[in-house]
């Protein structure tokens, strides 16, 4: 949350102007020669995050620090993000090779003609949620929206989904301010949250939040999706595959033991203490690893899930028409399932 989507629309508009600009031509990795030849060149690769160093990115830092990228011939620099950082633009124009965003953002970008492709999805269950005070006795989001005040960030697709499903006529909707101070002070106040962030902060300040995942209401986009531009995939498919495999190994290591990587991220993000890092890592684990990932590997994605999300965005009026999924979902990274019927 915390402003992660701010600036996305502006960045996409810039793409219309910048998308046709020339890109630096990548050279293929130098092949290993005979004994005594120079060592193969290590490729310099950039990964742009859409937020600051937090547990939701732990596997990427683990892949870097444990050498999973280096063993595949890549020296990966991780660029921290924040509100307004135009990750889609950075990837599409070649400023960085890889980036992180949500699946709904990717579909919106593609609707505007941006040719980026998804490679790996960290969160199988979206961590986006609403929280209210347990004392209100709400059993779910429907109850939460029946009275009081709720803080939501304008423009969030899941907010549009909830408005269409339940309506906001019984609740006062105010802008989300990025903190939990008002929540702690006001028992009739509810707000958006990441299950790994605001609820932990609220509990630390003495509140007792009841937290309800938006995913349980039927809107469940993949979150923390690794993307690249199609041009890089066409030029260097082996490198793209190697990057994804290194990411998968990094996430496996982080989920098994996040302590060392949390310490590294803690030096980059001093707003979170060690205990908060540990709590967030525990809270997110069941959202990242589930029955599907145990069967098909961490980061797995399915065409069916992308199809469902795309149809929801069309239904909400957030994109104009159903995208041609097979134009950008690649079987190397997405379980395509049975061929889908043509869209009328």
């Amino acid at each position: 949350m915390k402003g992660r989507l701010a600036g996305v629309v502006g960045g996409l508009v810039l793409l219309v102007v910048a998308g046709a600009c020339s890109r630096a031509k990548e050279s293929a990795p130098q092949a290993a020669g005979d004994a005594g030849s120079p060592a193969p060149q290590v490729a310099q690769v950039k990964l742009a995050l859409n937020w600051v160093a937090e547990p939701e990115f732990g596997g990427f830092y683990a892949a870097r620090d444990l050498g999973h990228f280096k063993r595949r011939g890549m020296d990966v620099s991780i660029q921290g993000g924040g509100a307004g950082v135009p990750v889609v633009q950075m990837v599409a124009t070649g400023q960085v090779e890889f980036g992180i965003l949500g699946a709904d953002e990717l579909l919106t970008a593609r609707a505007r003609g941006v040719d980026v492709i998804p490679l790996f999805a960290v969160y199988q269950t979206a961590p986006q949620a609403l929280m209210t005070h347990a004392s209100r006795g709400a059993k779910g989001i429907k109850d939460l929206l029946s009275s009081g005040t709720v803080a939501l960030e304008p423009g969030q697709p899941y907010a549009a989904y909830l408005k269409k499903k339940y309506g906001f006529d019984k609740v006062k909707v105010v802008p989300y301010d990025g903190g939990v101070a008002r929540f702690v002070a006001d028992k009739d106040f509810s707000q958006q949250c990441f299950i790994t962030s605001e609820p932990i902060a609220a509990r630390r300040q003495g509140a007792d939040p009841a937290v309800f995942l938006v995913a349980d209401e039927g809107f469940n986009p993949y979150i923390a999706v690794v993307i690249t531009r199609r041009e890089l995939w066409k030029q260097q498919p082996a490198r793209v595959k190697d990057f994804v495999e290194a990411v998968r190994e990094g996430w496996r290591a982080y989920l098994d033991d996040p302590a060392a990587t949390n310490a590294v991220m803690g030096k980059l993000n001093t707003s979170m203490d060690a205990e908060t890092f540990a709590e967030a890592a525990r809270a997110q684990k069941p959202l990242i690893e589930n029955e599907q990932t145990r069967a098909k590997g961490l980061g797995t994605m399915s065409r069916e899930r992308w199809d469902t999300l795309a149809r929801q965005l069309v239904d909400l009026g957030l994109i104009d028409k159903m995208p041609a999924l097979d134009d950008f979902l690649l079987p190397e990274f997405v379980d395509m399932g049975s061929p889908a019927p043509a869209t009328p």
Side-chain angles (χ1 to χ4, degrees), residues 29-40:
Q30 180 179 334
D34 298 329
S37 298

mmCIF file with all atom_site columns, all heavy atoms in Angstrom, residues 29-40:
data_model
loop_
_atom_site.group_PDB
_atom_site.id
_atom_site.type_symbol
_atom_site.label_atom_id
_atom_site.label_alt_id
_atom_site.label_comp_id
_atom_site.label_asym_id
_atom_site.label_entity_id
_atom_site.label_seq_id
_atom_site.pdbx_PDB_ins_code
_atom_site.Cartn_x
_atom_site.Cartn_y
_atom_site.Cartn_z
_atom_site.occupancy
_atom_site.B_iso_or_equiv
_atom_site.pdbx_formal_charge
_atom_site.auth_seq_id
_atom_site.auth_comp_id
_atom_site.auth_asym_id
_atom_site.auth_atom_id
_atom_site.pdbx_PDB_model_num
ATOM 1  N N   . PRO A 1 29 ? 26.094 -12.826 -23.384 1.00 0.00 ? 29 PRO A N   1
ATOM 2  C CA  . PRO A 1 29 ? 27.179 -13.177 -22.490 1.00 0.00 ? 29 PRO A CA  1
ATOM 3  C C   . PRO A 1 29 ? 28.359 -13.744 -23.266 1.00 0.00 ? 29 PRO A C   1
ATOM 4  O O   . PRO A 1 29 ? 28.184 -14.489 -24.225 1.00 0.00 ? 29 PRO A O   1
ATOM 5  C CB  . PRO A 1 29 ? 26.552 -14.232 -21.568 1.00 0.00 ? 29 PRO A CB  1
ATOM 6  C CG  . PRO A 1 29 ? 25.085 -14.016 -21.689 1.00 0.00 ? 29 PRO A CG  1
ATOM 7  C CD  . PRO A 1 29 ? 24.856 -13.520 -23.071 1.00 0.00 ? 29 PRO A CD  1
ATOM 8  N N   . GLN A 1 30 ? 29.583 -13.393 -22.865 1.00 0.00 ? 30 GLN A N   1
ATOM 9  C CA  . GLN A 1 30 ? 30.773 -13.920 -23.504 1.00 0.00 ? 30 GLN A CA  1
ATOM 10 C C   . GLN A 1 30 ? 30.918 -15.392 -23.197 1.00 0.00 ? 30 GLN A C   1
ATOM 11 O O   . GLN A 1 30 ? 30.808 -15.823 -22.062 1.00 0.00 ? 30 GLN A O   1
ATOM 12 C CB  . GLN A 1 30 ? 31.992 -13.139 -22.996 1.00 0.00 ? 30 GLN A CB  1
ATOM 13 C CG  . GLN A 1 30 ? 33.315 -13.600 -23.588 1.00 0.00 ? 30 GLN A CG  1
ATOM 14 C CD  . GLN A 1 30 ? 34.459 -12.764 -23.042 1.00 0.00 ? 30 GLN A CD  1
ATOM 15 O OE1 . GLN A 1 30 ? 34.274 -11.625 -22.654 1.00 0.00 ? 30 GLN A OE1 1
ATOM 16 N NE2 . GLN A 1 30 ? 35.632 -13.349 -23.003 1.00 0.00 ? 30 GLN A NE2 1
ATOM 17 N N   . ALA A 1 31 ? 31.109 -16.189 -24.200 1.00 0.00 ? 31 ALA A N   1
ATOM 18 C CA  . ALA A 1 31 ? 31.241 -17.628 -24.006 1.00 0.00 ? 31 ALA A CA  1
ATOM 19 C C   . ALA A 1 31 ? 32.583 -17.955 -23.398 1.00 0.00 ? 31 ALA A C   1
ATOM 20 O O   . ALA A 1 31 ? 33.599 -17.297 -23.643 1.00 0.00 ? 31 ALA A O   1
ATOM 21 C CB  . ALA A 1 31 ? 31.085 -18.345 -25.352 1.00 0.00 ? 31 ALA A CB  1
ATOM 22 N N   . ALA A 1 32 ? 32.597 -18.979 -22.583 1.00 0.00 ? 32 ALA A N   1
ATOM 23 C CA  . ALA A 1 32 ? 33.850 -19.428 -21.985 1.00 0.00 ? 32 ALA A CA  1
ATOM 24 C C   . ALA A 1 32 ? 34.736 -20.024 -23.066 1.00 0.00 ? 32 ALA A C   1
ATOM 25 O O   . ALA A 1 32 ? 34.298 -20.801 -23.904 1.00 0.00 ? 32 ALA A O   1
ATOM 26 C CB  . ALA A 1 32 ? 33.568 -20.459 -20.901 1.00 0.00 ? 32 ALA A CB  1
ATOM 27 N N   . GLY A 1 33 ? 35.991 -19.664 -23.067 1.00 0.00 ? 33 GLY A N   1
ATOM 28 C CA  . GLY A 1 33 ? 36.923 -20.175 -24.073 1.00 0.00 ? 33 GLY A CA  1
ATOM 29 C C   . GLY A 1 33 ? 37.739 -21.323 -23.545 1.00 0.00 ? 33 GLY A C   1
ATOM 30 O O   . GLY A 1 33 ? 37.386 -21.989 -22.585 1.00 0.00 ? 33 GLY A O   1
ATOM 31 N N   . ASP A 1 34 ? 38.863 -21.584 -24.209 1.00 0.00 ? 34 ASP A N   1
ATOM 32 C CA  . ASP A 1 34 ? 39.746 -22.657 -23.781 1.00 0.00 ? 34 ASP A CA  1
ATOM 33 C C   . ASP A 1 34 ? 40.432 -22.258 -22.490 1.00 0.00 ? 34 ASP A C   1
ATOM 34 O O   . ASP A 1 34 ? 40.342 -21.122 -22.032 1.00 0.00 ? 34 ASP A O   1
ATOM 35 C CB  . ASP A 1 34 ? 40.800 -22.934 -24.862 1.00 0.00 ? 34 ASP A CB  1
ATOM 36 C CG  . ASP A 1 34 ? 40.157 -23.388 -26.159 1.00 0.00 ? 34 ASP A CG  1
ATOM 37 O OD1 . ASP A 1 34 ? 39.083 -24.026 -26.088 1.00 0.00 ? 34 ASP A OD1 1
ATOM 38 O OD2 . ASP A 1 34 ? 40.721 -23.093 -27.217 1.00 0.00 ? 34 ASP A OD2 1
ATOM 39 N N   . ALA A 1 35 ? 41.133 -23.197 -21.902 1.00 0.00 ? 35 ALA A N   1
ATOM 40 C CA  . ALA A 1 35 ? 41.873 -22.924 -20.671 1.00 0.00 ? 35 ALA A CA  1
ATOM 41 C C   . ALA A 1 35 ? 42.808 -21.752 -20.908 1.00 0.00 ? 35 ALA A C   1
ATOM 42 O O   . ALA A 1 35 ? 43.492 -21.674 -21.928 1.00 0.00 ? 35 ALA A O   1
ATOM 43 C CB  . ALA A 1 35 ? 42.650 -24.164 -20.250 1.00 0.00 ? 35 ALA A CB  1
ATOM 44 N N   . GLY A 1 36 ? 42.864 -20.853 -19.987 1.00 0.00 ? 36 GLY A N   1
ATOM 45 C CA  . GLY A 1 36 ? 43.724 -19.699 -20.119 1.00 0.00 ? 36 GLY A CA  1
ATOM 46 C C   . GLY A 1 36 ? 43.038 -18.504 -20.735 1.00 0.00 ? 36 GLY A C   1
ATOM 47 O O   . GLY A 1 36 ? 43.587 -17.400 -20.735 1.00 0.00 ? 36 GLY A O   1
ATOM 48 N N   . SER A 1 37 ? 41.829 -18.671 -21.276 1.00 0.00 ? 37 SER A N   1
ATOM 49 C CA  . SER A 1 37 ? 41.077 -17.561 -21.848 1.00 0.00 ? 37 SER A CA  1
ATOM 50 C C   . SER A 1 37 ? 40.497 -16.715 -20.726 1.00 0.00 ? 37 SER A C   1
ATOM 51 O O   . SER A 1 37 ? 40.333 -17.181 -19.602 1.00 0.00 ? 37 SER A O   1
ATOM 52 C CB  . SER A 1 37 ? 39.953 -18.078 -22.736 1.00 0.00 ? 37 SER A CB  1
ATOM 53 O OG  . SER A 1 37 ? 40.464 -18.813 -23.815 1.00 0.00 ? 37 SER A OG  1
ATOM 54 N N   . PRO A 1 38 ? 40.168 -15.444 -21.018 1.00 0.00 ? 38 PRO A N   1
ATOM 55 C CA  . PRO A 1 38 ? 39.552 -14.597 -19.983 1.00 0.00 ? 38 PRO A CA  1
ATOM 56 C C   . PRO A 1 38 ? 38.256 -15.214 -19.466 1.00 0.00 ? 38 PRO A C   1
ATOM 57 O O   . PRO A 1 38 ? 37.543 -15.894 -20.197 1.00 0.00 ? 38 PRO A O   1
ATOM 58 C CB  . PRO A 1 38 ? 39.281 -13.285 -20.729 1.00 0.00 ? 38 PRO A CB  1
ATOM 59 C CG  . PRO A 1 38 ? 40.240 -13.287 -21.884 1.00 0.00 ? 38 PRO A CG  1
ATOM 60 C CD  . PRO A 1 38 ? 40.373 -14.728 -22.281 1.00 0.00 ? 38 PRO A CD  1
ATOM 61 N N   . ALA A 1 39 ? 37.950 -14.980 -18.206 1.00 0.00 ? 39 ALA A N   1
ATOM 62 C CA  . ALA A 1 39 ? 36.716 -15.509 -17.626 1.00 0.00 ? 39 ALA A CA  1
ATOM 63 C C   . ALA A 1 39 ? 35.522 -14.874 -18.320 1.00 0.00 ? 39 ALA A C   1
ATOM 64 O O   . ALA A 1 39 ? 35.588 -13.748 -18.808 1.00 0.00 ? 39 ALA A O   1
ATOM 65 C CB  . ALA A 1 39 ? 36.668 -15.199 -16.129 1.00 0.00 ? 39 ALA A CB  1
ATOM 66 N N   . PRO A 1 40 ? 34.408 -15.607 -18.405 1.00 0.00 ? 40 PRO A N   1
ATOM 67 C CA  . PRO A 1 40 ? 33.204 -15.039 -19.023 1.00 0.00 ? 40 PRO A CA  1
ATOM 68 C C   . PRO A 1 40 ? 32.808 -13.727 -18.344 1.00 0.00 ? 40 PRO A C   1
ATOM 69 O O   . PRO A 1 40 ? 32.925 -13.582 -17.135 1.00 0.00 ? 40 PRO A O   1
ATOM 70 C CB  . PRO A 1 40 ? 32.150 -16.126 -18.782 1.00 0.00 ? 40 PRO A CB  1
ATOM 71 C CG  . PRO A 1 40 ? 32.927 -17.386 -18.626 1.00 0.00 ? 40 PRO A CG  1
ATOM 72 C CD  . PRO A 1 40 ? 34.197 -16.982 -17.943 1.00 0.00 ? 40 PRO A CD  1
#
